[in-house]
Amino acid sequence: QVQLVESGGGLVQPGGSLRLSCAFSGRSFSIYNMGWYRQAPGQQRELVAQIFGGGSTTYADSVKGRFTTSRDNAENTAYLQMNSLKAEDTAVYYCNAIQIMSNYAHWGQGTQVTVSS
C-alpha cells in the first residue's frame, strides 16, 4: 500500500519561503511520478509542479522561477520549495503519486499554505 503524508505548510508573509515535504510510504518510490497540486477556495484544483522518476520536472507558468520540486529517492521524499510567495499562492497543497505506466493516483491529505501580511 502507498501512503503520502505532506508537511511544511503554514502562515508566511508575502515574499517569504516555505518548503513542503511529501513522505512516501510503500514500495518502489523511484517508479512513481510525483505531482504537486493546489486548490484555493472557489477555484479548481491546479497542477503546480511534477517531478518524474528520472528527475525531470515541469511547472505551471504561475510558479515558474519561484517554485522548485525535487526528490530524494533514497529517503522516499518529494519536496516543493516555494520562494517569493504571493497572496495568490494561498491554497491547500496536495502531493500525489502515480506509478509509471499507470493512471491511478495516490493522494496526500493536503497542507494549508497561507500567504498574508
Side-chain angles (χ1 to χ4, degrees):
Q1 295 183 0
V2 171
Q3 288 186 312
L4 303 175
V5 179
E6 294 139 319
S7 61
L11 175 65
V12 66
Q13 298 271 57
S17 297
L18 286 173
R19 187 177 74 161
L20 306 184
S21 298
C22 178
F24 174 103
S25 297
R27 294 186 292 269
S28 303
F29 175 66
S30 64
I31 68 171
Y32 286 82
N33 298 325
M34 302 297 296
W36 290 97
Y37 292 75
R38 67 187 181 188
Q39 188 165 24
Q43 303 294 316
Q44 289 187 296
R45 186 170 293 186
E46 174 188 21
L47 176 62
V48 175
Q50 290 179 295
I51 182 163
F52 300 93
S56 298
T57 57
T58 67
Y59 298 93
D61 287 343
S62 59
V63 307
K64 194 172 297 182
R66 299 188 297 120
F67 291 11
T68 303
T69 187
S70 60
R71 66 193 294 158
D72 186 338
N73 286 344
E75 298 295 331
N76 287 5
T77 303
Y79 301 96
L80 184 67
Q81 178 67 46
M82 304 184 293
N83 298 326
S84 302
L85 283 161
K86 305 173 181 179
E88 51 262 47
D89 295 318
T90 296
V92 178
Y93 284 71
Y94 302 88
C95 67
N96 81 347
I98 300 177
Q99 191 173 354
I100 294 169
M101 304 301 293
S102 171
N103 65 354
Y104 183 82
H106 302 271
W107 290 89
Q109 81 286 353
T111 186
Q112 177 71 48
V113 172
T114 302
V115 184
S116 177
S117 59

